Amino acid sequence: MRRGLALLPLGLLLLAVAEISVFMAVVHALGAGWALLIIAGSSVAGLALLRREGIRGWRSFRAAAEAGRPPGPQVSDSLVGLLGALLLAVPGFLTAVAGLLLVAPPGRFLARRGVERATERRVSSAVAGDLFGPRHVRVRQSAPVDEPPAEPAAFGPPGQVVQGEVVEGEIVR
């Protein structure tokens, strides 16, 4: 995390240089008036979307909380929408395109899944279950081991599939 924060000023500098170069290319292609009009229009649209996404996100979070559903999908969807609207509000062509990609449904879906996966990696499984609902996992049975285990398994012989109630939990070492 600290490495990412240390590289933030360099990333912002590179973004500024890229935005200026793209702006100059658009000015050369369309003219200064049209370029400024497009940037102003995308910024106004971004500000309007910021308000709408904020209200929509808060309402969906409250509805999920009142219905007793996990609020994680609504929160991650709202965060992606707010980020897209914020990128649209920032003047510049590259940020506007990135914001449009995050606001459009396919981009929003992919970004939301990315936010959920990143959250699941950083929090415990119990917290992820509380946020996003029950997790679906795939369990693969490994090949038999040549050496017998030091202690026999309490639930049956090796290789046997045990069926029963699934208890959600976390492994603590």
Side-chain angles (χ1 to χ4, degrees), residues 1-2 13 22 51 63 78 87 92 102 105 111 116 119 142 146 155 158 165:
M1 185 68 165
R2 291 178 189 243
L13 179 67
V22 169
R51 183 176 185 274
S78 297
L87 286 174
L102 289 178
E116 288 176 4
T119 303
S142 64
D146 293 337
F155 54 82
E165 185 177 336

Side-chain angles (χ1 to χ4, degrees), residues 72-73 76-77 79-80 83 102 106-122 132 135:
S76 59
D77 189 53
L79 286 176
V80 170
L83 179 63
L102 289 178
R108 176 177 260 186
F109 175 76
L110 292 174
R112 182 175 54 89
R113 293 292 300 151
V115 167
E116 288 176 4
R117 286 188 182 143
T119 303
E120 288 171 355
R121 279 195 305 264
R122 293 176 189 223
F132 302 112
R135 305 286 74 204

Side-chain angles (χ1 to χ4, degrees), residues 14-145:
L14 289 174
L15 177 65
V17 169
E19 286 285 6
I20 290 171
S21 62
V22 169
F23 178 75
M24 296 306 288
V26 171
V27 165
H28 182 69
L30 299 178
W34 285 109
L36 289 173
L37 186 65
I38 292 170
I39 285 183
S42 69
S43 294
V44 168
L47 290 173
L49 273 175
L50 259 174
R51 183 176 185 274
R52 184 186 77 118
E53 289 294 328
I55 292 171
R56 181 176 163 252
W58 178 249
R59 285 182 182 157
S60 64
F61 171 75
R62 286 190 51 188
E66 288 173 0
R69 293 184 319 235
Q74 285 79 15
V75 170
S76 59
D77 189 53
S78 297
L79 286 176
V80 170
L82 283 170
L83 179 63
L86 183 65
L87 286 174
L88 264 173
V90 172
F93 289 105
L94 295 177
T95 54
V97 168
L100 281 174
L101 288 175
L102 289 178
V103 170
R108 176 177 260 186
F109 175 76
L110 292 174
R112 182 175 54 89
R113 293 292 300 151
V115 167
E116 288 176 4
R117 286 188 182 143
T119 303
E120 288 171 355
R121 279 195 305 264
R122 293 176 189 223
V123 299
S124 68
S125 60
V127 172
D130 289 343
L131 281 175
F132 302 112
R135 305 286 74 204
H136 300 284
V137 296
R138 293 183 188 165
V139 179
R140 294 187 184 117
Q141 188 174 1
S142 64
V145 181

